[in-house]
Amino acid sequence: MTHPILNDALFDAMKTSVLPTEEAESLPPLCYTDAEFYQFEKEAIFSKEWLCVGRETWAAHPGDYFTSFIADEPLIVARGRDGVLRAMSSVCQHRAMLVAEGSGKARAFVCPYHHWTYALDGSLASAPAMEKSCKFHKENFNLPVFALEIWEGFVFINFDQNAAPLAPRLTKVSEVLKGYNLSQAEGEKPTEELSYPWNWKVMFENNNDGYHASKLHQGPLHDFIPSELAEFPDDLPDNTAGYYRTNRTLHPDAAFNATQRAVFPIFPDLTADERHRMVFANVPPTLSLVMTTDSIIYLILRADGPESHRVDQGVLTTKQAKSDPAYQQKMAMSFLAASEIIDQDLHVDEMVQIGLRSRFAPRGRYSWQEGAQRLFNTWLVPRYCDTWNKLKRKDFTEF
């Protein structure tokens, strides 16, 4: 098999993207547009890394389940009768029909096509009219079950059963998030699945980018968090599974609404210094967090093509927030402001994707305020290069 796009020159060129920020340049544009590269990325990233699929509270009780879809893989996350949370494929092992959609409560998963029935742990419980099939044994046709880990209340799955645990490689990120008590924060499950016609990395980079804040978002809804007050860590370990940036604010307890100030209860464990900044934390390739002193916006990005992805977007607050009689009105006010900012970002993301298809698309240089982009690159590029080297040694037989 020949690979006109994938070659040593491409991966050698990526090495400039992990230089110090003042020397680095962005990834080659084809990494955001090319179908062949997306297939490679499914092997290099999505088949090996921990992927966020939701919050643990979305399946809090036995029988609760929710479904997801990422990098062409339909998934079920279900709480078994034994109380254990499991992640498994939603693909029936008979004829590939999906055995579950949406979310809800179930005693079992019944394939609507031929009524093969699976227990909540993925084991095949019933396969009607299969008694005449030679050498058919139910135990050989269970739903594939994946590795699962909970981090800060978020559910992560991994298709690689031998993957290194996630949490030990997120200690630095967890330290920065400690005051938010994220695992105990509460919020409704998103009811709308968002779908966008641009590469998942375009959106991930925009979420990480402090450089554009004082330009694209200038005005009363964002001016309290200026780009020049962005700060980037320099002590993340080489094996980190995530990264973050912080941004000082012009006044404490700043928030994205017309008042510029927190309207929900403050996360009580935040220090005085932490109340004077925001945190933007990221666990690629799927989870991005925007953290203010009274609320947390999370985005779960789910790639589904070279130039498209889906997003689950939600808001978390303290447990006490909902006891406020004006909770819904305050949330609506905050959502109105956040929506105006998000709409600006979405328009830029769409236009960037168009630009990346151009023959004139550059490998741009970074401002110091784009330090998070370089951190993203240092996560991506070694994984790309490592997979490419392995594929070469195996003569492409696994690609």
Side-chain angles (χ1 to χ4, degrees), residues 98-152:
L98 301 191
V99 303
E101 299 177 78
S103 61
K105 199 172 188 70
R107 298 180 63 183
F109 299 111
V110 180
C111 175
Y113 198 7
H114 300 101
H115 286 202
W116 281 34
T117 301
Y118 297 88
L120 295 173
D121 64 1
S123 59
L124 180 60
S126 174
M130 293 296 293
E131 67 276 1
K132 294 183 180 180
S133 299
C134 297
K135 298 181 180 179
F136 175 79
H137 304 286
K138 287 193 301 182
E139 61 270 20
N140 296 332
F141 293 88
N142 299 330
L143 296 177
V145 177
F146 311 125
L148 183 148
E149 186 171 334
I150 307 297
W151 177 78
E152 301 289 354

Side-chain angles (χ1 to χ4, degrees), residues 343-356:
D343 285 346
Q344 293 170 338
D345 285 325
L346 296 181
H347 178 70
V348 164
D349 289 346
E350 185 172 10
M351 295 300 102
V352 165
Q353 188 68 36
I354 292 173
L356 285 165

Side-chain angles (χ1 to χ4, degrees), residues 219-257:
L221 296 179
H222 211 292
D223 283 350
F224 55 82
I225 180 170
S227 296
E228 60 266 25
L229 297 184
E231 299 173 333
F232 308 96
D234 58 7
D235 60 348
L236 291 173
D238 291 340
N239 72 337
T240 184
Y243 58 97
Y244 65 91
R245 68 177 171 92
T246 58
N247 213 114
R248 307 297 295 180
T249 57
L250 298 182
H251 57 260
D253 299 334
F256 295 121
N257 60 61

Side-chain angles (χ1 to χ4, degrees), residues 10 14 47 54 72 90 135 151 155 178 237 242 249-250 260 284 291 294 297-298 351 361 365 379-380:
L10 172 64
M14 292 181 185
S47 70
D72 302 321
S90 181
K135 298 181 180 179
W151 177 78
V155 180
K178 183 177 179 181
T249 57
L250 298 182
Q260 298 188 1
M291 314 188 73
D294 72 335
I297 298 174
Y298 65 86
M351 295 300 102
R365 294 294 304 278
W379 186 90
L380 278 171

Side-chain angles (χ1 to χ4, degrees), residues 271-312:
T271 66
D273 183 65
E274 289 170 339
R275 290 173 64 169
H276 222 298
R277 73 181 189 189
M278 291 185 183
V279 179
F280 300 79
N282 309 282
V283 185
T286 47
L287 181 62
S288 189
L289 304 170
V290 178
M291 314 188 73
T292 70
T293 58
D294 72 335
S295 63
I296 299 161
I297 298 174
Y298 65 86
L299 296 95
I300 301 173
L301 284 68
R302 299 183 282 114
D304 63 3
E307 297 190 270
S308 62
H309 70 287
R310 309 178 193 195
V311 174
D312 301 310

Side-chain angles (χ1 to χ4, degrees), residues 1-6 36 396 399:
M1 177 180 284
T2 60
H3 294 266
I5 297 298
L6 303 179
E36 187 176 4
F396 308 116
F399 182 62

